[in-house]
Amino acid sequence: MSEKRYRIVLLPGDGIGPEVVRAGRRLIEAVARTCGHEVEFEERLIGGAAIDARGEPLPGETVEAARRADAVLLGAVGGPKWDGLGGDRRPEAGLLGIRKALGAYANLRPVRAWAPLLTASTLRPEAVEGVDLLIVRELTGGLYFGKKRRERENGHTRVVDEMVYTTPEIERIVRLGFEAARKAGKSLTSVDKANVLESSRHWREVVERVAAEYPDVPYTHMLVDNCAMQLVRDPRRFGVIVTENMFGDILSDEAAVLTGSIGMLPSASLGEGPGLYEPVHGSAPDIAGRGAANPLGTMLSVALMYQFSLDEPAVSSAIVDAVDRVLGEGFRTADLARPGDRVCGTEEMTGAVLERLRLT
Ligand code: IPM
Ligand code: MG
C-alpha cells in the first residue's frame, strides 16, 4: 500500500458536466480504494453554474482551490441559458480563465480509433482503422486571448480579434510537440496558415529552429485547410499534430469523427500549474440531466491525469484497458449506438468500466 495523498479539484460546470464528473470521481475513488491512495476532493463552481450562484464565471475561490490542487477535473461549461451575455461574462470565459490562471498552455488531445467502435464512425471502417494520433493544441495564446474590440466606424460596427503569439509561446509548445513525437516514435506535423498569416510564418520559423534539436523526429509543415482534408482522407498519416489555439480547437472536433463520437475524446492541459483534465465534448444541454451522457471521455481524461499529474502510468493504462474491454463487450451510450444496439446510460457505462478495472 502506498501512502500517496492527492488533492483533486472537481469543476463540474454546466449541462452534462456534473454527470460526467461524477463518473470521473467514482473512478478516482475506485482507484484510491484499490491502491490505498488518500484522495481529498474539493468541488468548485465554474461557468454558468458560477454565474448563477456568484454572478461571475470564474470566482476567485475556484482559481485558488485549483492552484493548490494536484490535478483538476473539469466537466463542461455553457448553454443556451447564458447565450445573451457579453464575451467576458459568458460561461466560456470561466474555462478560458482557468486555463490561463493555471498556465495550461499545452492541450493534449489523443484521438484513437477503438477497434470495437470502427463502425460507429460515419467514415468507412477501413479509413479509420489503426488511427492513433495526438493533437497538441496551444491553449493560452492566439485569437482566444488577443485584444477584442467592437467600435463604430462610418455608421457601421467594426470588430477586431487580434491574433497574437510571441516567440517563447510558440517555442514551448513546439518543443512539447517534438518531445511527444520522439517519445511515441512518431512524426510531427506542424499545422499553420503560413501562406496568409504573419503569426503562422513566425510559427514556421520557430519550428525550423526547434527541429534542429530533434534530428531523429521526422516533421512536416501543413497548411490548416489541407490538414482538415487529410484528417478525413488519410488520417493514419498523422502521428503528432502541433498547432495554434484556434486551429487546434477546430481540428480536434473534426478528428472526433475518427473515433466515432466526440464523447470518447479526453484531454490534458499542462503547463506551469496543476494539470487540468477535461473531456473535449461540450455541455450538451439537449441531453443534460437525463443520465445519458457518455462518461468515457471523462474517464479517459482521468487516465491522462494518472499519467501526467499523479505519476501512476500503470493506473492510466489499466483505465484504458478497461474502456477497451467494455467497448469490446458491446456497451454503448446513445452517442455510440448503431441501430439495434442496446443503449446504456452514464451510470451503467461507468459501473461497467469500474468492474473491469484490473489494478494490481
Ligand atoms: C474546447 C471548447 C472550448 C474552446 C470552448 C468551450 C471555449 O470548444 O475545449 O475545445 O474553444 O477551447
Ligand atoms: Mg472545441
Side-chain angles (χ1 to χ4, degrees):
M1 290 270 165
S2 68
E3 296 293 309
K4 292 183 176 164
R5 258 190 94 86
Y6 298 123
R7 187 203 294 259
I8 311 285
V9 165
L10 304 175
L11 306 176
D14 309 318
I16 59 171
E19 296 162 61
V20 295
V21 165
R22 203 172 307 128
R25 179 182 180 141
R26 283 179 65 193
L27 175 56
I28 296 168
E29 284 168 344
V31 171
R33 269 196 306 276
T34 312
C35 300
H37 305 157
E38 292 263 344
V39 183
E40 194 187 316
F41 291 103
E42 266 186 73
E43 195 168 310
R44 290 289 182 269
L45 293 163
I46 196 166
I51 293 173
D52 288 352
R54 299 287 149 79
E56 49 179 336
L58 185 63
E61 64 194 38
T62 299
V63 174
E64 281 153 36
R67 283 201 174 123
R68 285 193 311 266
D70 291 304
V72 181
L73 181 65
L74 189 145
V77 298
K81 182 174 175 194
W82 304 282
D83 267 353
L85 297 173
D88 50 0
R89 305 202 37 242
R90 290 176 63 88
E92 289 80 0
L95 178 57
L96 302 184
I98 193 78
R99 289 172 177 169
K100 194 75 169 178
L102 297 179
Y105 65 83
N107 184 222
L108 312 187
R109 299 185 160 185
V111 179
R112 62 178 266 195
W114 300 82
L117 286 185
L118 287 182
T119 54
S121 176
T122 47
L123 300 172
R124 287 196 313 274
E126 63 270 27
V128 295
E129 188 174 13
V131 164
D132 186 11
L133 60 87
L134 174 69
I135 297 179
V136 177
R137 167 188 175 193
E138 201 291 326
L139 202 59
T140 52
L143 278 171
Y144 277 65
F145 293 92
K147 280 204 197 89
K148 300 175 188 347
R149 274 199 314 280
R150 177 183 280 261
E151 52 206 24
R152 294 295 287 173
E153 187 184 74
N154 303 331
H156 299 287
T157 297
R158 183 170 183 272
V159 287
V160 181
D161 286 295
E162 281 183 353
M163 169 92 139
V164 182
Y165 270 110
T166 63
T167 311
E169 282 174 329
I170 302 172
E171 224 169 74
R172 64 185 180 180
I173 192 73
V174 166
R175 189 160 280 123
L176 199 139
F178 272 106
E179 289 290 336
R182 173 181 274 173
K183 196 150 176 250
K186 293 189 170 159
S187 66
L188 182 77
T189 307
S190 170
V191 175
D192 63 38
K193 187 69 183 173
N195 51 352
V196 177
L197 300 178
E198 197 54 34
S199 53
S200 283
R201 283 189 281 272
H202 187 48
W203 181 284
R204 247 181 217 220
E205 289 160 10
V206 173
V207 171
E208 288 296 325
R209 182 147 34 82
V210 174
E213 297 167 33
Y214 298 88
D216 52 316
V217 179
Y219 76 99
T220 47
H221 301 284
M222 193 180 275
L223 296 173
V224 63
D225 46 353
N226 184 30
C227 180
M229 176 176 69
Q230 300 301 339
L231 260 179
V232 284
R233 200 187 75 88
D234 182 19
R236 273 186 297 266
R237 69 184 284 165
F238 294 103
V240 177
I241 293 174
V242 66
T243 191
E244 69 86 40
N245 203 345
M246 174 82 117
F247 297 160
D249 177 48
I250 298 170
L251 293 177
S252 58
D253 266 40
E254 188 191 3
V257 177
L258 306 170
T259 198
S261 163
I262 196 161
M264 291 301 299
L265 287 198
S267 85
S269 302
L270 311 175
E272 293 145 18
L276 172 67
Y277 299 85
E278 44 170 321
V280 174
H281 65 68
S283 61
D286 51 324
I287 59 161
R290 294 210 213 137
N294 183 349
L296 297 180
T298 305
M299 298 178 98
L300 292 167
S301 300
V302 169
L304 295 176
M305 180 188 287
Y306 282 103
Q307 183 181 344
F308 293 111
S309 290
L310 309 183
D311 197 22
E312 300 270 1
V315 172
S316 183
S317 347
I319 296 171
V320 174
D321 289 348
V323 168
D324 204 22
R325 243 174 259 143
V326 160
L327 294 172
E329 287 175 40
F331 286 85
R332 298 285 183 270
T333 40
D335 57 316
L336 301 173
R338 309 236 314 151
D341 283 348
R342 191 183 76 81
V343 174
C344 71
T346 313
E347 299 259 314
E348 187 183 348
M349 183 64 108
T350 307
V353 174
L354 298 189
E355 275 165 30
R356 285 156 189 79
L357 199 55
R358 305 270 174 274
L359 299 161
T360 40

